[in-house]
Amino acid sequence: MDRTLLKNARVLVAGDAMLDRYWFGDVDRISPEAPVPVVNVVRTEERLGGAANVARSIAAVGASSTLLSVVGGDEAGRSIERLLIAEGITPKLEFDDALKTTVKLRVVARQQQLVRCDFEAAPGEECLKRHLGLFTELMRTNEALVLSDYGKGGLSHIIAMIAGARAAQIPILIDPKGDDYSRYRGATVITPNRSELRQVIGSWSSEEALIERAQNLRRELDLQYLLLTRSEEGMTLFGPDGQLNVPAQAREVYDVSGAGDTVIGILAAMLATGMPIEEAVPIANRAGGIVVGKLGTASVSYEELFGE
């Protein structure tokens, strides 16, 4: 992949941004208050999470990445803005003073995650309306759109966003959540994992049953493609001309956090260069295989992905 092509590829990410906080420490005793380990925290770290991690994945391979999201007017929201700028991502953030920024706090000891604490709330409607106006402006300057839905309320106007992106004739990639995919109607591609797809089409007992149900869902929702991520089984792209199976690349799985963010981010970056989706999916699959070998919400560099 030519670096210049990627540098000129512009991707807009919209959705639920969050801050991932890590507390690293050592455990050498059990608490006298309860049968839980006592962690002596020796190091802390902050990383971009959710939609912000998708934007990070795009920027990490050299593409132009812009994040549109609503965050709280608090310390965590400002941390997200600071980290975006440090990663070379253009932040287009709406700060809602009444909102608490979504934060996921993970406590890690001896390379094992002991507990995760989530802090979250839904953004206000007034802020989301301003957000939609800015989205319309950004549609004019991007070649691909990722809608990263984590079910936190940041995509309440997703139907209007899809309509706007379709009018701009750019690829629309969606990381779906929940059991109602009707709101994603008209997208270019959605990227559910196995458990997410089961919530919508039910369990399947054979590959034939999966193909039939996945293709029926794709046609019902007027999607061009449905990309199913299947962990150790790789990926399957369901499209109008049939199915494309991409086997997983053998790697030691260390942490699956953020792997879906990496897959959709890299896929969007490739599509923004004009690459056909059949060629882009194996590259996204390779990126996902690399990132699961890293701790936490990590990204993949251009050199790691293309071996240069």
Side-chain angles (χ1 to χ4, degrees):
M1 165 58 64
D2 189 330
R3 281 182 184 267
T4 304
L5 280 176
L6 270 175
K7 185 177 180 180
N8 293 329
R10 295 167 296 181
V11 182
L12 173 64
V13 180
D16 299 308
M18 55 192 73
L19 183 65
D20 285 340
R21 284 189 165 134
Y22 293 85
W23 290 0
F24 297 96
D26 299 317
V27 173
D28 55 18
R29 64 192 178 97
I30 299 299
S31 170
E33 304 166 351
V36 295
V38 175
V39 181
N40 178 31
V41 177
V42 297
R43 179 170 62 92
T44 64
E45 189 174 323
E46 291 184 337
R47 300 181 189 177
L48 296 168
N53 189 45
V54 177
R56 179 187 179 209
S57 296
I58 294 163
V61 294
S64 175
S65 180
T66 300
L67 176 69
L68 176 65
S69 190
V70 179
V71 297
D74 52 15
E75 179 268 337
R78 296 298 173 184
S79 290
I80 289 176
E81 181 181 46
R82 172 179 53 79
L83 289 170
L84 288 169
I85 294 170
E87 296 281 356
I89 301 160
T90 302
K92 296 292 184 179
L93 302 178
E94 293 283 347
F95 291 94
D96 184 349
D97 290 335
L99 175 68
K100 293 293 185 183
T101 300
T102 298
V103 176
K104 293 182 179 179
L105 170 62
R106 297 172 175 90
V107 181
V108 181
R110 297 179 183 175
Q111 305 301 310
Q112 296 277 335
Q113 186 180 143
L114 300 183
V115 67
R116 191 182 94 181
C117 303
D118 289 5
F119 308 85
E120 58 189 51
E125 187 61 28
E126 182 178 341
C127 203
L128 287 169
K129 286 180 179 177
R130 294 197 303 270
H131 178 78
L132 186 58
L134 183 54
F135 171 83
T136 302
E137 294 178 22
L138 292 169
M139 276 295 87
R140 305 188 189 108
T141 57
N142 286 275
E143 284 91 33
L145 169 67
V146 178
L147 296 173
S148 184
D149 192 356
Y150 273 79
K152 310 302 181 187
L155 288 176
S156 65
H157 297 298
I158 192 170
I159 294 173
M161 289 177 162
I162 293 172
R166 283 182 66 121
Q169 297 185 321
I170 66 172
I172 308 157
L173 301 86
I174 301 180
D175 186 1
K177 284 291 179 292
D179 58 5
D180 180 10
Y181 281 11
S182 62
R183 57 195 302 222
Y184 306 134
R185 185 179 305 278
T188 306
V189 57
I190 61 174
T191 62
N193 59 33
R194 286 180 298 192
S195 63
E196 289 168 341
L197 188 61
R198 282 194 191 99
Q199 290 183 57
V200 180
I201 67 172
S203 298
W204 52 87
S205 57
S206 66
E207 192 70 12
E208 291 73 19
L210 168 61
I211 291 170
E212 181 181 5
R213 294 184 189 184
Q215 287 287 22
N216 285 343
L217 178 66
R218 184 188 65 79
R219 287 187 287 264
E220 177 188 334
L221 296 180
D222 190 25
L223 306 171
Q224 290 185 39
Y225 299 95
L226 186 155
L227 177 61
L228 175 62
T229 57
R230 309 176 71 173
S231 301
E232 73 281 355
E233 296 177 8
M235 298 180 180
T236 301
L237 180 69
F238 299 92
D241 298 323
Q243 295 72 241
L244 171 66
N245 292 306
V246 181
Q249 302 205 349
R251 287 184 179 271
E252 182 178 356
V253 176
Y254 185 74
D255 190 338
V256 298
S257 300
D261 297 338
T262 298
V263 167
I264 198 170
I266 298 302
L267 183 62
M270 297 303 112
L271 294 182
T273 69
M275 180 182 290
I277 194 168
E278 292 83 4
E279 297 177 23
V281 166
I283 297 173
N285 181 60
R286 184 161 67 246
I290 293 169
V291 82
V292 295
K294 302 182 180 184
L295 174 65
T297 46
S299 60
V300 177
S301 69
Y302 178 93
E303 291 75 16
E304 287 175 308
L305 188 54
F306 296 106
E308 298 182 17

